[in-house]
Amino acid sequence: MKAEDIREWEDTEIVARLAELKEELFRLKFRTGTMQLENPRLIRSVRRDIARLKTILRERELAEQRN
């Protein structure tokens, strides 16, 4: 997921995707605890995608405050 692509999305799409990724992160952490996770790097990838989405939402929020 690239930041350039995310910036083209509407806020509602970003919020929906953020909720999906948080749920996925929860499931991945649960599977890690039960030793059923095949690729531990998936957690890092999902966490970074969540951070990317939150950053873009915050950028938009700050841009609105300036105007």
Side-chain angles (χ1 to χ4, degrees), residues 5-60:
D5 298 333
I6 298 169
R7 284 191 175 93
E8 297 173 1
W9 296 355
E10 297 291 325
D11 286 347
T12 54
E13 292 176 85
I14 294 174
V15 171
R17 182 68 179 143
L18 188 59
E20 290 172 13
L21 287 174
K22 284 182 178 181
E23 179 68 27
E24 183 177 347
L25 181 61
F26 173 78
R27 281 188 256 120
L28 288 173
K29 285 182 178 181
F30 186 76
R31 286 176 40 197
T32 299
T34 60
M35 300 297 191
Q36 294 178 355
L37 186 61
E38 298 160 2
N39 187 358
R41 290 187 180 213
L42 285 175
I43 292 176
R44 180 189 303 176
S45 171
V46 172
R47 284 180 44 218
R48 288 183 178 180
D49 286 343
I50 289 171
R52 213 172 273 127
L53 291 170
K54 285 183 174 183
T55 300
I56 292 172
L57 283 175
R58 180 68 176 153
E59 286 174 354
R60 290 181 182 182

